Structure formats: C-alpha cells, structure tokens
Amino acid sequence: MLAAKKHWVQPTPTVDETAVTALAEAVSVTPLVARLLITRGITTPATAKIFLQADQQPLNDPLQMHDMQKAIDRIQDAIVAGDQITVYGDYDADGLTSTSIMVETLDQVGAQVNYYIPDRFKDGYGPNQAAFDHLIEAGTKLFVTVDNGVAGNDVINAVQERGIDVVVTDHHELPAELPDAYAIVHPRHPEGHYPFGELSGAGVAFKVATALLEEVPEELLDLAAIGTVADLVSLTGENRTLVTLGLKVLQQTTRPGLSALIKAAGLDNDQLDATSIGFGIAPRLNALGRLQSAQSGVELLTTLDDERATSLATTINQLNDKRQGLVRDIADSALAQAQLPENQARQTLVITGKDWHEGVLGIVASRLVEATGKPTLVLNEDADGRLKGSGRSIDAYNLFAAIDSIRDDLVAFGGHHMAVGLTVMADQLSTLKEALETAATANDLAAHAQATLQVDGVLPLSEATLETLAALQPLAPFGTDNPAPMFEIDPTEITQVRAIGADKQHLKLQLSDGTQNVDAIAFSMGTAAGAIEASPTNVKVVGELSANTWNGQTKPQVMVKDLAVTGSQVIDARTQHLTAHQFNQPGVYVFFHQNLMKRLTDYLNDHSQAVLASDQAALAAVTDQSVFIVDCPDTLADLTDVLQQLPLNQVTLYLYRRESLYLAGMPNREQFGKLYKFTLAHHDVDIHHQLSLVAGHLHLQRNLLIFMIQVFFEVGFVKINDGVMNGVSNPQKADLHHAPSYQLREQQIAAEETLLYSKSAALQTWVKNQAAVKN
C-alpha cells in the first residue's frame, strides 16, 4: 500500500443534519454549503449572512485603532509645513502594496513624499540605521513605516532622539518593549480598541488612508487585497470584506502596472480570485525582494505610464522565472542531501550548500518539509565559513523554541514556531544540529511528526460537478482561516494515470465511479504512479474541486492535495539495467543469486536490507517493510516460496536478468547432433581456452554451447578432466530431457515467460494470486 503523507482529519463533532437543513433554508444555500458553514463555526442565519455577504459589511472606524488620530495629526502637520515625508516599507508583496497605498494617499493630500524599500541583503528587514541616517541627510523630516517598525527599537529611538519623528504602522507581533515612536498604529496594540486584530500591513495602511482622506478609498482596495492575501493573514472578519471588495476592483483595475503584471502572469482578469493573487501576482512581487532591490515594485504598482508598466512587468516576470529556476536547482541538490543515509536517520534536517542564493532558501526549506515531513534548515555557506539561511517546520515542532536555547552560539537569529531565519558559523553547526535533534526527542517528534490535513467531509464523485463548484463560491475568498473546501473522494477506480511535466514529477489521473469520470491533477506526486497502477481500485484522494477550461470547454477537476492506496500492491518496475537510484527507497531487497547480491549490497542505505531468497531465517524476520524483488528467479516455485513467506503489503518487481534464456531458447535435436559428432571427431578440446572457437565452428552462441556441454556431461556423453573435454564412444543411452541442467533451463525459460515477457496486468495478477499477498 501507499500511505497518505498527511493524517486526514474529518470534521468533529458530527453535524446535526436538522441544523444543516434549517441553515440551508434560512440563507438559501445548498445543504453542502450549510454543512461547511456549521463546521467552520458559522451556525446562525445572522452570522451566515454576514459571512456570505462580506462585500456588504461596513468597514471598521479607523480612528478606533491605537494612535491613529495622533498619527493623522502629525502627518497633516508635516503636510502643512511642507516637510519631506518618507514612507519606509518592506520588500515583500505586503510591504510593496502597503508602501504604494501610503505613497498614493499622501500624494493625494498634497504631501511632499518619497519612499524607501530596504534591500534584503544590504539593509535586512525593518528599520536600518544606515538607511535612516542617509534619508535624514537627504532631507526627511518625518518617517512613516508600513508593514514594519514595532521591533525597530534601537533605530527608531535613535531617530526620535535626533528630533525626527517616526510614525509606525505595522501588524506584526508586538515585542515586550515597543519603540519610542511618535505614534504606533497597530490593530492589536494593548492600549487600543480596534475590533479586528488580523489586518495585514496593507490593511493597516489602508485604514490610515481612510482616516487621512476621511472616506474609504475604493481605488486602493486592489492593493489592500493583494497585500492581505499575500501575507497569509486571516481571511475572516474585516479582511474578508477588504479582499472581496478588492477583487472586484482588481478585476477592473486601471493600474497599468497591475494590468501588465496580470497579463505577464497569464491570468484572466474576469477570473481573478484569491488564488490568482496567492499563486500568480504575489510570487512575482516577492521575487523582486528575493533576488534584488524591490524599489521598482512600488513604481510598478503606482505608475501611470503604460510603456514603463509593461517594461517593469516584463522584468519582474523574468525575475520570477529566474527565482523558480533557482528554487528548482537548489531544491534538487538539497533533496539529494536529505536522502543521504545520515540524514534519513535524523528527525530534523540541516542542509547546507555553497553559492546558493539566500533569497530563495525559505522556499527550498518549505519544499523539503513537504517532501520529507521533517523540520528543515537550508543554509548557504560563504567563503568565511558563515552559514546563513532559513528554516521551516511542522505543527508538531516549535522550530523557534528548539533554536532559541542556543541563541548565544549564533551570529543572528529570529522567527516563530513555523519559520526562522538565522546565521551561524561553521564551527557551531554541530551544536545547531544537536539542539534540533534534542528538541525533537524531548517532544517525541516521531510520534507526532505526520502533518495533518483538515478534510471537510466525503464528496461522492457524482457530486464533483460544476454545479457543486458554483454552489461553493459564496464561501470565497479562500485563504488562512477560511481554506477552500477539502474533500475526500473515493473513486471506484482510477481509469487513467499518467506522469506529466518535464521531469515527470506530477500526475494526471482520471477518477471514475463507473458512470462518471473526473480528471484530477496531483502536483509533486509522480512517484505514486506505480502504486496507483498496481492497485487502481483501492485509491482514495483528498482534494479541492476546481474547474479546468481547455479549448473553450470547461470541466470539473480535482486538485489533489494527498492520496493513499490501500490493499496490497504489485509495482511492475521490470528492468534490464540496475542503477544506484533503484535502491534509494527503504525496504527489503530480495536476491535469488548470491553473486549479484554481493555486487549490489553497497547500493543500499541504512534503512534497507539485502536478503538472499534461500535465507529462511532472514525472510521470517521481515515485518511490514516494502519488498523489492531484484533479480529473476530460476523457477516460478522459488518466487512463490518467497511471496508466501513475506507479509507483503507492497512488492516492487525489478526481476533483472542479465541474459534472456527465453529468447535464446532450447537447442534443437540437430544442434545437439552436431555437438555430439564434434566431440567424437575432436580429442582433448581445451574448453577453457577454445570454447569460442568451438562455438564459431558449430554456429552456436557461446552460452548455449556451455549449456549443451553441461547436459552431455550429466548424461555421460562427454568427459571433462581439468578443463579438457573428450567424447565418450558408445555411451549408454540417455534421454537429454532428464539431465538436471536441461530440466533447470526449462524451468528458467518458463519463469522468464511468466515473469519477464507477460503483460503488466497478467504479472500483477499472478503475483497477487500467491498465497501471502493480501488483497
């Protein structure tokens, strides 16, 4: 079987169907949607209407936010005085949109405004002293930070002491000690009274804009929506309203830069949704800050010049392509490290490399966590032995806490439960690795390592329709705290499975219930193809219902997030060539020929075992590991004996045979006759040195001649002493078919015919019919 990568968690407790019916009737939705609302805590008609009609909900009064009026007054004073105001932003999508919102608003109210986006590699995150000093020297009289600042104590305090005011607008976690800024506008400030604390940086900037303009700036809603979705804040409450309204503006955007970027990303304006932002727009904006200065990102979002917008969008799209290539190359190298025996034995991973671009290491770490299920750090080492990078974790492991205990041994460190950034010297790398493993053991990570996948229920394949998809749309926009509905789908059969993509890493499936077929896409699950093909009637998937339009025709499609194959599986991986990568997977590798096992044992890692088929004790000790049949047995009975002894859940068949006896066949009567005449006519034949000459003389393959000589020797037609062969005159009559070698070759040919030259389905059926294979 193929286990699911994640633990599927069904909704609990079971929903009362009476309540489902009542809610469905009250707010005019389908029972499926009503059930989803209830499982998400939306149980009354009143709360359901608010949720479903997010675009009709009033936005909160911005003046309820801490220091908002104070910040507005200070900004207006600067405008009246004609002072230079600098908006100090951040290099990610939320920071760029926050900056753009603030700059456009200040410009609209007559401020003398410029902006600064810190460089990830030169300035780092948040207020940078050198940058602030430079800006002050250039004439800045007031700073307004967006999407940063609450953790910038040292810099902001120093600036305030110089008589330059700083207005902080931020949404990040509040530290124990706040900076002595002129004003701190934050939705969760302990002295504030704002009713919704989950705004993004762009959301906070939008509220400042609303307060400054004394009206809701609808033309800025597109930027607020992008920042909110990109920063993965909660898509509930006011954020839901901001994004719902913002998507409508985005679909009709008049911003040349956004229009150009949407076109470059291959998106359809009419179909733009939160997913379009999360996977199309935001990654491209983020690519700027990952690879270079992100200053041009604000220009893209605010320019009114169509040509400039197109040029910037093209450059950003190219940078995103470069970012994808860097991630792909580094991830391949990093995953190869993760699969080394010493790393497979670890509960956590510290992966290092040289000349790796530091701007993409967080993405690579996420890829490795997804692939291995292990908390992972990915670090780049420079020429001075300094390793810098990012880490990502899983729910069951607090990565920040694990490293915080050795903070003093690091050059730099910060982050939270699921993600960290750090710098460490090479001589402290072992200390870092040990700290990670110690925390894993202390928290019994092995027992809780499997990530969870929240499932909204079981969806019959017959209901995986465009009509169902349309009924689910009022639940959108989807994102953090309001994920797209995830359903378990149990098709009766997978009728098609095909590996797709340049590297065959993805799968295209067709799910069937006997009457309806629905296509499905499973990204990064290409390795599951063999298991699915081996057991197509025992596949379960968890996925999101979506639509796919091709050649003007739209069909339902399932985006698979996880899958499992139950029951016994026979994977047909027959090969004529054995390579090291075929021995990477953990399991038991069964050999029928000892010489081959000796040659290939070094290929196996610490989580694998080589077993000779004749070793009864070793076979009996095998538990529930995956089994790989490496070479082709000499007889079908040999394989049957192995299959009956092993508790097989999954068996992969390589069935390697160096030379095919089936294709060579059995010598015929005429060939045996020629050899017999030759042995009588030629004496003292040195078969060690003259075998090839004899084979050429008799027009026989060398290996076939060896077999024939062996048969003659066994029935007494020839004698062989010290490698010298002579024929026997007037030997006793004998039936060649009774010779042990003749009978063995017959069995070998029969085994090859069944095991090597049968169709895949027939081979799988034969193996499954053996007694020990569980169905």
Side-chain angles (χ1 to χ4, degrees):
M1 68 179 188
L2 178 67
K5 288 186 176 180
K6 299 182 179 180
H7 174 56
W8 302 351
V9 179
Q10 296 285 351
T12 56
T14 303
V15 177
D16 182 356
E17 290 303 313
T18 303
V20 169
T21 301
L23 186 60
E25 293 176 353
V27 295
S28 301
V29 295
T30 65
L32 174 61
V33 172
R35 189 175 298 107
L36 291 169
L37 287 169
I38 292 173
T39 60
R40 296 177 186 213
I42 303 166
T43 58
T44 68
T47 56
K49 287 178 181 178
I50 291 173
F51 185 85
L52 297 170
Q53 299 169 4
D55 58 341
Q56 300 176 30
Q57 304 311 309
L59 295 171
N60 296 315
D61 181 357
L63 295 178
Q64 291 180 282
M65 203 174 299
H66 180 266
D67 273 356
M68 180 66 81
Q69 188 62 61
K70 189 176 180 182
I72 297 303
D73 292 342
R74 181 64 185 87
I75 291 171
Q76 289 174 336
D77 288 345
I79 294 172
V80 171
D83 289 340
Q84 177 68 57
I85 302 174
T86 296
V87 179
Y88 191 94
D90 188 26
Y91 43 71
D92 66 1
D94 190 22
L96 296 177
T97 51
S98 304
T99 305
S100 299
I101 289 170
M102 193 66 73
V103 168
E104 285 195 357
T105 300
L106 291 172
D107 182 67
Q108 185 177 341
V109 295
Q112 182 176 333
V113 59
N114 63 5
Y115 60 89
Y116 184 85
I117 302 297
D119 187 299
R120 176 194 293 263
F121 308 103
K122 182 180 69 175
D123 302 322
Y125 168 75
N128 176 275
Q129 188 66 62
F132 269 66
D133 290 344
H134 172 75
L135 291 165
I136 291 171
E137 291 173 7
T140 296
K141 299 298 184 181
L142 173 66
F143 288 97
V144 179
T145 72
V146 290
D147 195 33
N148 75 95
V150 292
N153 294 47
D154 293 342
V155 175
I156 291 175
N157 293 349
V159 171
Q160 285 286 158
E161 288 173 2
R162 292 180 62 178
I164 305 295
D165 287 336
V166 180
V167 171
V168 171
T169 77
D170 201 354
H171 73 115
H172 290 96
E173 291 299 322
L174 292 160
E177 182 180 349
L178 294 173
D180 293 327
Y182 181 88
I184 297 178
V185 180
H186 193 292
R188 294 190 305 281
H189 195 289
E191 297 176 11
H193 305 285
Y194 199 71
F196 183 73
E198 301 303 319
L199 292 174
S200 66
V204 176
F206 185 84
K207 303 307 290 190
V208 175
T210 302
L212 267 172
L213 298 169
E214 297 183 343
E215 64 178 0
V216 175
E218 295 184 3
E219 71 279 4
L220 298 176
L221 281 165
D222 50 0
L223 298 179
I226 292 172
T228 300
V229 173
D231 217 50
L232 302 178
V233 292
S234 178
L235 279 191
T236 59
E238 190 171 28
N239 281 343
R240 182 171 170 80
T241 299
L242 285 173
V243 174
T244 302
L245 293 170
L247 285 170
K248 293 180 180 180
V249 176
L250 186 61
Q251 290 169 358
Q252 305 295 326
T253 188
T254 58
R255 296 178 181 277
L258 274 181
S259 295
L261 191 62
I262 289 167
K263 182 178 180 180
L267 300 172
D268 182 349
N269 281 67
D270 295 334
Q271 302 298 320
L272 290 174
D273 57 13
T275 300
S276 306
I277 294 174
F279 292 92
I281 297 173
R284 285 167 170 78
L285 293 176
N286 284 329
L288 269 172
R290 291 186 182 281
L291 301 186
Q292 62 176 42
S293 168
Q295 194 87 353
S296 60
V298 178
E299 184 183 358
L300 173 83
L301 296 174
T302 59
T303 184
L304 298 178
D305 185 328
D306 289 339
E307 290 187 8
R308 181 58 175 161
T310 299
S311 175
L312 287 169
T314 300
T315 300
I316 289 173
N317 202 53
Q318 290 171 345
L319 280 173
N320 188 58
D321 290 341
K322 180 180 179 181
R323 187 268 305 171
Q324 291 175 328
L326 288 169
V327 170
R328 183 168 52 250
D329 294 343
I330 297 173
D332 287 345
S333 178
L335 187 58
Q337 276 192 52
Q339 292 173 338
L340 293 174
E342 60 266 30
N343 279 326
Q344 288 190 349
R346 292 176 56 87
Q347 300 178 80
T348 60
L349 296 174
V350 178
I351 305 298
T352 65
K354 294 184 178 180
D355 299 322
W356 285 356
H357 199 294
E358 293 172 6
V360 301
L361 298 187
I363 301 175
V364 174
S366 294
R367 295 275 182 92
L368 262 66
V369 172
E370 183 68 24
T372 66
K374 298 178 179 181
T376 300
L377 299 179
V378 180
L379 309 173
N380 176 64
E381 183 175 2
D382 65 18
D384 298 324
R386 187 185 304 263
L387 294 106
K388 182 179 180 181
S390 299
R392 297 294 183 268
S393 193
I394 60 176
D395 291 338
Y397 187 87
N398 190 323
L399 185 58
F400 179 85
I403 301 175
D404 194 43
S405 63
I406 60 162
R407 175 189 289 268
D408 293 342
D409 296 316
L410 306 178
V411 177
F413 171 63
H416 53 82
H417 180 125
M418 297 291 286
V420 300
L422 59 85
T423 302
V424 59
M425 298 306 296
D427 59 3
Q428 293 297 323
L429 195 60
S430 60
T431 301
L432 176 62
K433 291 181 177 180
E434 184 179 348
L436 293 176
E437 287 295 290
T438 298
T441 301
N443 291 281
D444 196 16
L445 179 61
H448 305 96
Q450 188 176 30
T452 59
L453 178 60
Q454 295 294 326
V455 180
D456 291 289
V458 176
L459 183 72
L461 194 63
S462 60
E463 295 182 25
T465 63
L466 294 177
E467 291 74 19
T468 297
L469 185 61
L472 294 172
Q473 287 313 298
L475 297 173
F478 300 119
T480 303
D481 294 336
N482 184 45
M486 202 69 60
F487 298 109
E488 179 181 332
I489 302 175
D490 303 338
T492 56
E493 185 177 11
I494 305 296
T495 54
Q496 294 180 21
V497 55
R498 181 163 57 93
I500 59 173
D503 49 9
K504 303 299 182 183
Q505 284 192 342
H506 315 303
L507 285 181
K508 184 172 184 179
L509 311 171
Q510 189 171 80
L511 317 180
S512 176
D513 63 1
T515 58
Q516 177 171 318
N517 297 325
V518 176
D519 289 338
I521 297 293
F523 290 113
S524 302
M525 299 185 194
T527 55
I532 295 171
E533 290 174 334
S535 194
T537 60
N538 294 308
V539 180
K540 297 180 178 182
V541 305
V542 169
E544 175 187 342
L545 187 61
S546 65
N548 180 44
T549 300
W550 179 255
N551 288 335
Q553 187 176 12
T554 302
K555 294 181 178 180
Q557 177 177 264
V558 175
M559 304 301 293
V560 178
K561 303 301 180 184
D562 200 4
L563 59 82
V565 184
T566 59
S568 299
Q569 297 169 33
V570 178
I571 299 175
D572 181 0
R574 288 177 289 188
T575 183
Q576 293 179 328
H577 305 282
L578 292 174
T579 58
H581 82 272
Q582 290 167 305
F583 298 84
N584 285 341
Q585 299 182 61
V588 175
Y589 291 79
V590 178
F591 294 82
F592 289 92
H593 301 92
Q594 191 169 27
N595 289 339
L596 183 66
M597 186 174 80
K598 288 181 178 179
R599 283 169 40 206
L600 299 180
T601 297
D602 288 344
Y603 282 174
L604 274 62
N605 59 44
D606 292 343
H607 298 276
S608 299
Q609 176 186 5
V611 173
L612 195 61
S614 60
D615 188 340
Q616 302 293 317
L619 292 176
V622 175
T623 55
D624 59 351
Q625 299 107 307
S626 296
V627 173
F628 300 80
I629 305 298
V630 179
D631 50 340
C632 185
D634 289 331
T635 73
L636 290 172
D638 290 343
L639 180 55
T640 297
D641 183 55
V642 167
L643 296 175
Q644 289 176 344
Q645 292 185 71
L646 295 175
L648 301 176
N649 289 317
Q650 177 176 300
V651 56
T652 299
L653 304 171
Y654 293 156
L655 295 173
Y656 167 76
R657 171 79 83 182
R658 183 178 179 184
E659 295 181 359
S660 173
L661 299 181
Y662 175 81
L663 295 180
M666 295 292 286
N668 56 37
R669 184 182 183 87
E670 179 182 358
Q671 289 171 319
F672 273 120
K674 284 183 177 180
L675 176 59
Y676 182 69
K677 291 179 180 178
F678 178 87
T679 61
L680 294 179
H682 297 80
H683 302 288
D684 297 330
V685 176
D686 185 350
I687 57 176
H688 282 239
H689 300 93
Q690 297 177 305
L691 192 63
S692 295
L693 293 174
V694 175
H697 176 75
L698 296 175
H699 303 292
L700 294 172
Q701 292 182 1
R702 190 174 186 275
N703 287 341
L704 191 63
L705 176 59
I706 293 172
F707 162 71
M708 294 168 64
I709 292 173
Q710 180 66 28
V711 171
F712 273 11
F713 177 76
E714 291 171 355
V715 298
F717 284 9
V718 297
K719 292 182 179 180
I720 301 175
N721 293 309
D722 296 327
V724 176
M725 179 181 71
N726 285 286
V728 176
S729 300
N730 300 317
Q732 293 183 354
K733 289 186 176 182
D735 187 343
L736 300 182
H737 295 77
H738 292 163
S741 293
Y742 196 101
Q743 293 181 348
L744 175 60
R745 190 178 181 93
E746 285 184 322
Q747 291 177 311
Q748 290 172 323
I749 290 174
E752 287 188 17
E753 182 177 15
T754 297
L755 302 178
L756 302 186
Y757 297 99
S758 59
K759 292 183 176 180
S760 185
L763 174 64
Q764 291 168 345
T765 298
W766 185 89
V767 172
K768 286 186 176 183
N769 284 338
Q770 307 312 299
V773 180
K774 301 177 180 67
N775 291 303

